[in-house]
């Protein structure tokens, strides 16, 4: 991915989102030729010359100081995720030298990480990378994402990928009752990762694959929205246990750059807590997909959720 293009498109889309009224400016004339703010208005709000802001928006963040980035973030009213993304883009621009697209590397999970996952027995837990590959899970995590694991096929060595499932597998529309929100969040997470590591070949190849095959992905990718994904709520409709209203916490591993542990929790004395117990019973009958990829899953009667 080209840093200059990424920067240009990110800044121009952020500028287009802010009206003069939102920025506290008087809107002169009723016929504005650009959506949102003009370049001169952003420059004035950021305390810099129009020429310098134009240089930045054309994609040249190299050498921009922290104070410049902060002023720009304030002028564009960036949220925390957008602000972090701007700094990531500036960091990549300032690395210098000719950028090299690194070959895709196979990520491995340390035995201690898998032991940690397996010690979590009452909640689904997974470890993913920035490309949204599920690299490891506990028994409940495999059961929660059973449809996604089943997409790998018998001979596939690739890990299950949340983005491919969401945009290529029709079952995702049932699994994510609010599919539009899930799609927006998924693309925003990938866009955030692209800002951190624009020369990751694996991510670049995945974005190319998704863009080629999915109009839904292309439209969202072009919006340049970013998102931090550390805590919140998830709503899934599992094919076996029904509706799951969960809280999640996501934590990055200090010793394994780029890997994130996500744990899903059901609040006590709720239908989701009951569904987790049923999911655990079903998980005990499932083969481990890491060892028996593509093997037929046992069929049990679907539990009707009371939510």
């Amino acid at each position: 991915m080209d840093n200059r293009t990424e920067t240009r498109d990110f800044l121009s889309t952020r500028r287009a989102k802010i009206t003069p009224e939102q920025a506290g400016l008087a809107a002169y004339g009723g016929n504005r030729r650009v959506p949102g703010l003009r370049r001169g208005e952003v420059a004035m709000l950021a305390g810099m010359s129009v020429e310098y802001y134009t240089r930045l928006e054309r994609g040249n963040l190299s050498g921009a100081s922290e104070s410049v980035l902060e002023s720009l973030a304030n002028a564009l009213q960036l949220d925390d995720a957008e602000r972090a993304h701007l700094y990531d883009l500036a960091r990549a621009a300032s690395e210098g030298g000719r950028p090299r697209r690194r070959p895709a590397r196979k990520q491995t999970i340390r035995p201690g990480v898998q032991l940690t996952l397996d010690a979590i027995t009452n909640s689904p837990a997974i470890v993913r990378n920035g490309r949204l590959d599920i690299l490891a899970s506990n028994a409940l995590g495999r059961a929660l994402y059973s449809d996604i694991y089943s997409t790998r096929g018998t001979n596939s060595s690739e890990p299950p990928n949340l983005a491919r499932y969401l945009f290529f597998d029709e079952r995702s529309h049932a699994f994510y009752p609010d599919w539009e929100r899930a799609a927006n969040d998924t693309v925003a997470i990938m866009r955030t990762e692209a800002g951190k590591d624009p020369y990751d070949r694996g991510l670049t190849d995945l974005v190319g694959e998704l863009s080629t095959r999915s109009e839904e992905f292309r439209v969202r990718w072009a919006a340049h929205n970013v998102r931090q994904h550390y805590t919140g709520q998830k709503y899934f409709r599992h094919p076996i246990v029904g509706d799951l209203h969960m809280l999640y916490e996501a934590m990055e591993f200090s010793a394994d750059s780029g890997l994130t542990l996500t744990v899903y929790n059901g609040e006590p004395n709720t239908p989701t807590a009951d569904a987790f117990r049923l999911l655990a019973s079903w998980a005990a009958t499932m083969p481990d997909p890491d060892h028996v990829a593509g093997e037929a899953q046992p069929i049990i009667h679907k539990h009707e959720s009371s939510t």
Side-chain angles (χ1 to χ4, degrees), residues 119-195:
I120 304 172
T121 57
N122 295 321
S123 298
I126 64 169
V127 172
R128 66 164 178 83
N129 58 19
R131 297 190 298 274
L132 301 182
D133 295 324
I134 301 179
L135 300 178
S137 60
N138 65 357
L140 274 174
R142 289 190 293 272
L144 177 65
Y145 285 117
S146 56
D147 277 356
I148 300 174
Y149 272 97
S150 72
T151 63
R152 292 190 299 174
T154 305
N155 298 315
S156 176
S157 61
E158 289 188 351
N161 182 270
L162 293 166
R164 286 193 182 98
Y165 171 74
L166 196 145
F167 288 103
F168 296 160
D169 195 320
E170 284 298 320
R171 293 175 298 176
S172 69
H173 289 268
F175 186 72
Y176 299 106
D178 191 348
W179 189 90
E180 293 289 333
R181 178 177 177 178
N184 291 339
D185 288 350
T186 295
V187 177
I189 292 168
M190 294 177 65
R191 176 63 80 178
T192 302
E193 184 66 18

Side-chain angles (χ1 to χ4, degrees), residues 11 19 29 55 94 120 185 207 242 254 273 275-276 297:
L11 291 179
T19 66
R55 170 195 158 191
S94 299
I120 304 172
D185 288 350
V207 169
S254 298
F276 274 7
Q297 301 293 321

Side-chain angles (χ1 to χ4, degrees), residues 12-33:
S12 62
T13 55
R14 297 317 93 177
R15 176 166 61 86
K17 284 188 169 186
I18 305 174
T19 66
E21 292 78 12
Q22 289 172 326
L25 300 175
Y28 296 107
N31 184 22
R32 294 174 64 89
R33 293 186 299 172

Side-chain angles (χ1 to χ4, degrees), residues 137-150 152 238-241 278-300:
S137 60
N138 65 357
L140 274 174
R142 289 190 293 272
L144 177 65
Y145 285 117
S146 56
D147 277 356
I148 300 174
Y149 272 97
S150 72
R152 292 190 299 174
H238 193 273
I240 301 297
V241 303
L278 181 62
L279 191 65
S281 298
W282 183 61
T285 71
M286 294 175 61
D288 184 344
D290 292 327
H291 300 292
V292 195
E295 183 173 310
Q297 301 293 321
I299 300 175
I300 66 174

Side-chain angles (χ1 to χ4, degrees), residues 144-145 172-179 181-182 185 232-238 241-248 264-265 272 305-307:
L144 177 65
Y145 285 117
S172 69
H173 289 268
F175 186 72
Y176 299 106
D178 191 348
W179 189 90
R181 178 177 177 178
D185 288 350
Q233 298 180 350
K234 290 285 187 181
Y235 173 28
F236 295 161
R237 181 167 291 140
H238 193 273
V241 303
D243 290 347
L244 296 169
H245 296 265
M246 303 174 294
L247 305 175
Y248 74 89
Y264 301 97
N265 294 297
T272 294
S305 172
S306 59
T307 58

